Amino acid sequence: MTFSRPQRKVALSIGGVTFVSALLAASANVAAPHLRTVSPSSGARESLANFALEHPEAALMQRHLPLAFIKEKLENGAESVSGPSQEQYENRAYPRSTIADKQRRGARAAYLRLARNGSARGGGTTTTGSALTSTATTSTASSAAWSYLGPDTNNVPGPSTQNGVATTNSGRTTSVVVAPGCTTGSCTVYIGTAGGGVWKTTDGLSDSASWTFVSAGIPSGAIGSLFYDAGNHTLYAGTGEPNGSGDSEAGVGLYETANGGSSWSLVGDSDSKARDRSVGSIAVAADGTVYMGTDVARHGSSSVNGGRRTPPGAAPLGLYRMRPTESKFTRIFSKPGSPVDPAAGTGSDWFQGGVNHIELDPKDDNTVYAALFGYGIWRSSARLDGTTAFRHVFATSDPKDTFGDRTEFALTVKYGKTRIYAGDENEDKGWSWVWRTDNADRPANMLTNANGNGGWIQLSNPGNGQRGFDSYNFCEAQCGYDMFVVTPPGHPDIVYIGGSMNYDEIYGTVPPRSNGRAVMRSSNAGRDFTDMTEDAAGIGIHPDEHGLAFVPGQVNQFFEVNDGGVLRVDNAAAVDQTSQCAERGLQGYDLLDCQRWLKATPQHIAELSQGLSTLQFQSISTYVSGGETHYLGGTQDNGTWAFGPGVSGYESVGGDGGQSATDSGNSDVHFHTYYSSFADVNAYPAGGGYAAGLNPNHWDYVSQKQDSSGEGASFYVPFTNDPNNTGWIYEGLEHVWRTKDDGGDYAYLDANCSETDPSRFNPAATCGDFEPIGQNLASSSFGDRAGHYVVAISTAPSDSSVMWAATRTGRVFVSTNATAAAKAVKFTRIDGSTSTTHILPGRFVSGIAVDPANPNHAFISYSGYSAYAAGGHVYDVTYDPSAGTATATDISGTPDDAGAIGDMPVTGIAYDAANDELYASTDFGVITAPSSGGDAWSAAGTGFPISTVYGLTMSGGDLIAATHGRGAWTLPLP
């Protein structure tokens, strides 16, 4: 799959947040497996063994991360508009390519209706501001309360970090502000997260700061921007994430609080101005005038209800203003967005035209500067230009690039003149630069003209070892996703820049010439920069930087947010680490670069993510050890986590975390997947503070045959154990793949297929013994709904020979001899009672829950919208093995009935056989009904946060919900 633009740019993904690579990825000989989500390819994926042979510098793994992670970073390049959340969007839109606002709003209304329906049964709902928290009872559980399950700690052991030093991680954090009066013991800091809302600490200068969720009054967990108005002690929160990625969720407007988040109110009519958009930036003048910039965002009301294609009818992009005497925002400036109509479904409404940054001139807050994706910087100033019309003062490097190159800037004052620092990029070429003008008070036509940015100094230089190389390519090819430029008030010669980790400098060169250059600092007006990415103790900054806020009055102490949470840097530029450069064996220009970058590094980096329950889980699996239940969960961006009794919570393996599983007969053997079919096994004994099978140093590659098969695969493939046969594990591509011995002899795998130890990785070894069973379930030999790949696998708890499976296009299969020899296994297609009549919808199958008492009876859930492909969202299905046919009953309820599901995508299904109760996960929470379904659905339990739920897991007497932004939650069952 390629973009509908020049073919030298290829859509690829890393760590669950997606990005665009330039020529590097386009020239690579490996296909991006998740791109088959739209157009399955027959080209084989490259295995890790081949990757290691072709990239010996990566195989050395100087940094402590899995080889699969390094493969993603080196070959997949930068952040893009395709990946797991885009795939989720397309699953909901299928068979169409976009989701209209009508469907998105209808789904949310349906969930809120079910919450009220639960109230009528004796439960209820509570409302804080305009946000609803479900307190509805289930149909059998009177008032069961949800509780946060974990992980209780956010620990990342050294082997799971890039430099081997332990740290803490939470979910992606997009923005940060510090309230005035920050002192030791009393320092209030607010952060906004991509899916977990707004959080607050009052002790930000402590290394053990505690956090409190404070945005219950905002009906969205996606926060893209924060602004603290010190004059009025008011915090503004812009919902929706403006970062250029495939999972930047749209919001519901701009909100404000004057009491630290105890209550929130919508600002003016910002919800209508930001419909299906994000609020990318906020500025407030001394007289109370509010400026709001809106940006392209990829999701409707949840982190999976949207996607790369903006829904038709989205509000116009632009810079909006609301004066103190007004109640509505007025659009005062805008530029055209990407030229292709998003309603056409081509996926070409990129980020151009979005207002990603606003600042008011520090000398005159009637002068407004705004940066627009794809255009550069514009200014409105009657004082400087003789008009309030917006004038162009900085042009982005390639205005013809309709993708929407990003510009960030910071204003300050030097010698009585307004100075601007600007970071700019060219997405096509994968370049980024830093510029400066020392006299922005000149007329606009002196700052940008036909000959370019005539009033600006280009500070960056592409020459290795040359002055200016420090800031060149500082956010690689993904500046549209992660980029900031910040200068501390009153210190015009100091400027900080942040963006992507420079992976080629820490993995792609031997030895590494930098610490990653994720955050850089200059004290001489941008001429030279030093690397802030690691402190003197080796504690590092998580990749992908989104924001920086100074401790008031300080220039070398600041808070910084990124894809791994929030941290504080103390005494920046205080430590000389240049001695490391010679120790690394660097020579020539690489040595000069290293000596420049490491001469002034931080004394201390305090990771402050402990206590933030904002991890974006993809799924939760469980296992029993020592009589107690334990949990494994894969997270977007932040690996697979282990938590439970005696395991307070740690990231057992880094990279992208997809599905996980445990050998049903041996709780010391665990599995996890990265992206696509890439999978690892771990059976290392307990010790060193790690549980059995969860030692970060002993995850071993086990999916070489699947990866090399050329079969299409989901971004996160289905991956599960056989509940009755020890060692039996299944993975879904176009076939169902199976191993009967946990992937092979573990001693051999650990000696030859290590993900983290180069001395134990042998490219000539065969890593894993999975084999395909039965037919290719995506094959045209089964008739219609052909193509794509398997998205659900469920083995009957009472009979392992019965397996249910489904493909993305709505095919459903049953095998009654799944335990037979691989080639003897036979699947029967059952979604059509005849070859021309379907009894089940042609939409994405999001889950299959097999009845524990009857292997031929199951409940099947569907994503997507009935408006796009007829049918309900939950079905009761019974298979007749003698006839090879099935019967199916739609138990979603009567349309428009108060107790019906309505046209709301269901993301997963679980069946509580003991109480004959169904549970279904949605983009907003969890709903429940007796197994007969119908018009008896309601929101499940009490106290669950409005949050996207990717999946449900039954665990003894508990139901586990994996949320995308609020961690894992549990509900006790009757």
Side-chain angles (χ1 to χ4, degrees):
M1 171 182 170
T2 57
F3 294 143
S4 52
R5 55 183 290 107
Q7 300 231 341
R8 59 201 173 97
K9 182 174 285 185
V10 181
L12 295 163
S13 175
I14 283 183
V17 178
T18 54
F19 55 93
V20 165
S21 70
L23 296 174
L24 170 65
S27 63
N29 64 352
V30 54
H34 69 282
L35 299 185
R36 300 188 180 117
T37 59
V38 177
S39 302
S41 168
S42 60
R45 287 184 299 278
E46 182 182 52
S47 69
L48 292 188
N50 288 337
F51 173 77
L53 285 171
E54 295 168 7
H55 298 270
E57 74 283 359
L60 291 176
M61 292 179 283
Q62 299 98 339
R63 302 283 170 136
H64 297 66
L65 283 174
L67 184 58
F69 174 84
I70 298 172
K71 172 180 167 59
E72 281 189 284
K73 296 300 185 182
L74 285 184
E75 295 226 330
N76 290 1
E79 301 289 338
S80 88
V81 290
S82 180
S85 291
Q86 170 62 23
E87 181 178 82
Q88 290 284 345
Y89 171 72
E90 291 169 347
N91 292 341
R92 282 156 178 73
Y94 184 82
R96 300 189 181 186
S97 57
T98 63
I99 298 172
D101 184 60
K102 177 181 179 181
Q103 271 66 54
R104 178 186 65 80
R105 291 178 181 271
R108 182 177 179 83
Y111 180 80
L112 298 182
R113 185 187 69 243
L114 293 182
R116 291 190 291 271
N117 185 46
S119 176
R121 293 179 175 171
T125 59
T126 59
T127 303
T128 305
S130 57
L132 182 147
T133 301
S134 167
T135 60
T137 62
T138 68
S139 55
T140 57
S142 58
S143 58
W146 288 92
S147 59
Y148 179 70
L149 177 64
D152 293 329
T153 63
N154 298 61
N155 297 325
V156 184
S160 296
T161 68
Q162 63 167 358
N163 59 3
V165 178
T167 183
T168 61
N169 277 359
S170 58
R172 183 164 79 244
T173 306
T174 61
S175 48
V176 56
V177 293
V178 184
C182 172
T183 59
T184 301
S186 179
C187 181
T188 299
V189 182
Y190 298 91
I191 59 171
T193 68
V198 180
W199 293 72
K200 170 186 176 181
T201 181
T202 57
D203 196 14
L205 295 184
S206 167
D207 283 5
S208 56
S210 60
W211 295 93
T212 303
F213 174 73
V214 294
S215 59
I218 301 177
S220 173
I223 307 297
S225 53
L226 295 175
F227 184 90
Y228 194 88
D229 180 7
N232 295 305
H233 303 288
T234 300
L235 175 68
Y236 291 84
T239 65
E241 187 180 359
N243 297 312
S245 71
D247 68 338
S248 287
E249 176 186 334
V252 291
L254 176 64
Y255 285 76
E256 65 179 349
T257 178
N259 55 20
S262 296
S263 62
W264 294 83
S265 58
L266 182 71
V267 180
D269 64 340
S270 59
D271 55 341
S272 67
K273 301 302 191 293
R275 184 182 67 253
D276 288 318
R277 303 299 194 183
S278 63
V279 178
S281 188
I282 310 158
V284 181
D287 67 356
T289 297
V290 179
Y291 296 90
M292 175 182 72
T294 63
D295 290 83
V296 170
R298 297 309 181 186
H299 297 273
S301 50
S302 73
S303 59
V304 293
N305 186 10
R308 176 160 63 90
R309 301 172 176 91
T310 299
L317 297 171
L319 175 62
Y320 291 82
R321 180 185 65 201
M322 188 177 76
R323 294 189 173 99
T325 58
E326 299 170 336
S327 60
K328 295 184 177 181
F329 280 90
T330 300
R331 184 159 54 112
I332 60 173
F333 182 64
S334 65
K335 296 295 289 183
S338 300
V340 179
D341 179 6
T346 59
S348 295
D349 68 318
W350 306 106
F351 301 94
Q352 189 174 32
V355 179
N356 57 280
H357 192 68
I358 307 167
E359 281 195 39
L360 307 182
D361 193 309
K363 299 195 303 175
D364 170 24
D365 68 2
N366 289 310
T367 295
V368 183
Y369 289 83
L372 281 72
F373 274 98
Y375 292 97
I377 305 171
W378 294 71
R379 176 181 73 196
S380 170
S381 178
R383 177 175 63 88
L384 298 176
D385 296 319
T387 175
T388 56
F390 278 83
R391 305 296 190 191
H392 209 180
V393 297
F394 179 85
T396 191
S397 60
D398 186 8
K400 295 180 180 180
D401 181 7
T402 57
F403 178 80
D405 293 342
R406 182 173 176 177
T407 305
E408 287 287 341
F409 68 92
L411 304 181
T412 185
V413 178
K414 176 76 170 182
Y415 298 135
K417 303 293 184 182
T418 299
R419 169 182 281 180
I420 307 177
Y421 293 100
D424 189 52
E425 64 158 337
N426 184 305
E427 195 81 34
D428 271 340
K429 297 180 180 178
W431 293 342
S432 51
W433 305 263
V434 174
W435 298 71
R436 190 188 80 221
T437 181
D438 293 329
N439 186 5
D441 296 338
R442 290 182 288 181
N445 60 10
M446 296 182 65
L447 293 170
T448 181
N449 50 52
N451 297 320
N453 298 314
W456 293 77
I457 304 167
Q458 181 175 320
L459 299 171
S460 301
N461 185 331
N464 182 15
Q466 307 303 307
R467 190 174 210 185
F469 187 62
D470 307 349
S471 60
Y472 175 70
N473 215 23
F474 69 98
C475 45
E476 293 191 307
Q478 62 181 60
C479 308
Y481 172 71
D482 48 12
M483 179 185 190
F484 65 71
V485 178
V486 183
T487 181
H491 297 271
D493 290 335
I494 297 178
V495 61
Y496 289 80
I497 57 176
S500 169
M501 188 76 70
N502 274 266
Y503 297 105
D504 59 330
E505 294 178 357
I506 56 178
Y507 298 127
T509 60
V510 182
R513 66 185 179 201
S514 77
N515 288 339
R517 288 198 293 147
V519 176
M520 301 285 281
R521 177 188 184 276
S522 173
S523 60
N524 62 355
R527 292 290 187 182
D528 304 290
F529 286 83
T530 57
D531 194 343
M532 300 290 104
T533 311
E534 287 184 14
D535 68 9
I539 297 174
I541 291 177
H542 192 283
D544 300 327
E545 318 311 314
H546 298 296
L548 184 152
F550 294 97
V551 173
Q554 302 296 318
V555 299
N556 292 319
Q557 188 176 38
F558 55 85
F559 297 90
E560 198 267 349
V561 294
N562 50 59
D563 274 10
V566 58
L567 56 87
R568 189 189 68 248
V569 172
D570 300 324
N571 298 323
V575 177
D576 185 339
Q577 298 187 53
T578 54
S579 61
Q580 293 185 17
C581 301
E583 294 171 359
R584 295 178 186 182
L586 291 163
Q587 298 179 356
Y589 286 147
D590 287 344
L591 177 61
L592 294 177
D593 288 337
C594 180
Q595 289 173 335
R596 229 174 26 257
W597 297 337
L598 269 59
K599 69 180 179 182
T601 64
Q603 182 181 55
H604 177 54
I605 295 177
E607 294 284 357
L608 302 179
S609 293
Q610 200 67 266
L612 282 171
S613 55
T614 58
L615 286 171
Q616 296 167 298
F617 275 106
Q618 303 297 325
S619 66
I620 302 290
S621 66
T622 66
Y623 66 97
V624 176
S625 179
E628 296 184 290
T629 302
H630 297 256
Y631 311 94
L632 295 176
T635 63
Q636 185 168 315
D637 293 337
N638 288 302
T640 293
W641 290 70
F643 54 105
V647 184
S648 56
Y650 67 94
E651 185 179 335
S652 180
V653 58
D656 211 349
Q659 307 299 314
S660 56
T662 300
D663 183 338
S664 61
N666 187 346
S667 62
D668 292 346
V669 180
H670 304 292
F671 296 83
H672 101 109
T673 65
Y674 297 96
Y675 66 99
S676 189
S677 53
F678 289 96
D680 285 357
V681 66
N682 192 324
Y684 200 75
Y690 303 120
L694 293 169
N695 188 310
N697 289 302
H698 291 275
W699 288 97
D700 301 314
Y701 180 45
V702 75
S703 59
Q704 183 173 346
K705 292 184 177 180
Q706 300 96 294
D707 301 338
S708 303
S709 70
E711 292 192 9
S714 176
F715 190 93
Y716 294 121
V717 295
F719 195 94
T720 185
N721 65 15
D722 182 321
N724 306 302
N725 290 310
T726 185
W728 289 41
I729 305 293
Y730 297 98
E731 184 173 34
L733 281 77
E734 292 176 20
H735 285 83
V736 174
W737 290 68
R738 180 183 70 193
T739 178
K740 295 182 178 181
D741 59 358
D742 291 322
D745 178 73
Y746 183 70
Y748 173 86
L749 293 170
D750 201 43
N752 293 278
C753 303
S754 173
E755 280 275 11
T756 57
D757 185 346
S759 69
R760 294 187 287 113
F761 189 88
N762 177 9
T766 298
C767 297
D769 62 2
F770 281 80
E771 58 182 343
I773 65 173
Q775 308 98 307
N776 183 321
L777 303 188
S779 169
S780 59
S781 64
F782 281 108
D784 66 348
R785 299 181 178 178
H788 298 260
Y789 37 77
V790 174
V791 295
I793 303 171
S794 186
T795 299
S798 61
D799 184 354
S800 291
S801 64
V802 180
M803 174 181 288
W804 295 63
T807 68
R808 180 179 183 268
T809 59
R811 286 180 172 179
V812 179
F813 298 86
V814 176
S815 171
T816 58
N817 70 335
T819 56
K823 293 183 179 180
V825 174
K826 179 183 178 181
F827 285 92
T828 300
R829 183 180 171 189
I830 66 167
D831 54 284
S833 58
T834 70
S835 60
T836 58
T837 303
H838 293 98
I839 62 172
L840 291 168
R843 299 204 310 274
F844 180 82
V845 177
S846 57
I848 303 174
V850 181
D851 186 344
N854 181 357
N856 297 311
H857 177 223
F859 299 94
I860 302 179
S861 62
Y862 287 82
S863 183
Y865 292 90
S866 304
Y868 297 165
H873 293 278
V874 176
Y875 282 78
D876 184 326
V877 183
T878 299
Y879 175 59
D880 181 352
S882 61
T885 60
T887 58
T889 303
D890 181 359
I891 58 174
S892 307
T894 306
D896 301 323
D897 187 274
I901 291 177
D903 199 2
M904 174 171 56
V906 169
T907 60
I909 190 80
Y911 177 48
D912 175 14
N915 297 289
D916 197 27
E917 190 82 8
L918 283 174
Y919 294 88
S921 54
T922 75
D923 291 339
F924 313 98
V926 182
I927 59 177
T928 185
S931 65
S932 56
D935 298 331
W937 292 91
S938 66
T942 66
F944 193 80
I946 295 292
S947 178
T948 299
V949 181
Y950 265 108
L952 299 172
T953 304
M954 296 293 301
S955 177
D958 297 315
L959 178 71
I960 312 301
T963 77
H964 195 69
R966 289 298 306 274
W969 291 68
T970 182
L971 178 72
L973 301 177

